Amino acid sequence: EAGREERGESWRAGSARMPLEAADLAAKLEEAFTRPEFTSAVSDFANKHCHQFALLTTVADPSAVEHPLRWHELYREYTDLVESQLESFLASEGVSMDEVRNVAKSDGWTAAATCVDFIVASIEYESFLNLMCDFLHLNSMDGVDSDLLGGKLEDAPETGSESRGPAALEGGIAQ
């Protein structure tokens, strides 16, 4: 069993102990997290709330911004959304969270970029903030009226190298 876990394999529940390779599990997880019902739920959530994070895109030092309690409440809501999807996946595939963690440590995980982004944003607050800023940036590129965003973007720099979008958050954000 220990060797199997080190190789990133798990066993399919209810099968004749047939190994589920890390790459197979990662591909199935990616498929689950890219289904329209899940991506639509994430998009709907982010589009509904991303405007509340506009302040992060308008300041020179996002790490100096005091975070409203509402941001953490939204983070918890997003976490619940992703966790419910993950739990559904685990039940349908008959695998445990420990098995997914083992796959995450293996080479098979590299095929699962989208699901990794969604999962990481649900367990790391800073990644969640980056996700919300990404959606805010996408909405502003789609011609979303700044009045919809509470007028918060009126002083934001134009897109380009001087933009204070998600890349500005990579240096760290105070939590």
Side-chain angles (χ1 to χ4, degrees):
E1 292 264 330
R4 174 179 59 83
E5 289 179 7
E6 289 171 8
R7 289 188 309 274
E9 298 174 347
S10 62
W11 297 101
R12 200 180 295 275
S15 72
R17 303 217 17 110
M18 183 189 230
L20 183 58
E21 297 292 330
D24 294 337
L25 183 56
K28 288 179 180 263
L29 188 60
E30 177 70 359
E31 179 185 327
F33 275 74
T34 56
R35 288 187 184 128
E37 56 272 11
F38 178 70
T39 57
S40 293
V42 168
S43 291
D44 291 348
F45 175 88
N47 288 326
K48 180 178 178 181
H49 301 293
C50 68
H51 69 278
Q52 296 181 48
F53 299 87
L55 177 62
L56 291 175
T57 66
T58 63
V59 295
D61 182 9
S63 65
V65 173
E66 185 173 332
H67 296 191
L69 182 58
R70 179 67 178 141
W71 290 2
H72 194 266
E73 291 168 355
L74 291 170
Y75 167 66
R76 292 300 316 151
E77 288 178 34
Y78 175 79
T79 297
D80 291 344
L81 174 72
V82 173
E83 284 178 357
S84 69
Q85 177 71 14
L86 187 55
E87 288 169 2
S88 175
F89 170 79
L90 295 174
S92 71
E93 292 299 319
V95 296
S96 70
M97 190 59 203
D98 286 337
E99 290 169 314
V100 172
R101 282 188 199 105
N102 288 334
V103 170
K105 296 174 186 174
S106 75
D107 292 336
W109 194 258
T110 57
T114 299
C115 67
V116 171
D117 290 343
F118 289 142
I119 292 170
V120 169
S122 75
I123 58 175
E124 294 179 359
Y125 181 68
E126 184 174 328
S127 294
F128 168 74
L129 295 175
N130 285 329
L131 181 68
M132 291 297 102
C133 288
D134 286 345
F135 271 89
L136 182 62
H137 180 72
L138 289 171
N139 284 338
S140 68
M141 290 176 52
D142 286 339
V144 172
D145 186 357
S146 66
D147 290 338
L148 252 164
L149 303 174
K152 304 251 184 197
L153 292 181
E154 59 198 26
D155 297 324
E158 295 296 320
T159 56
S161 61
E162 69 278 4
S163 175
R164 302 305 311 165
L169 300 178
E170 291 173 5
I173 296 178
Q175 292 187 15

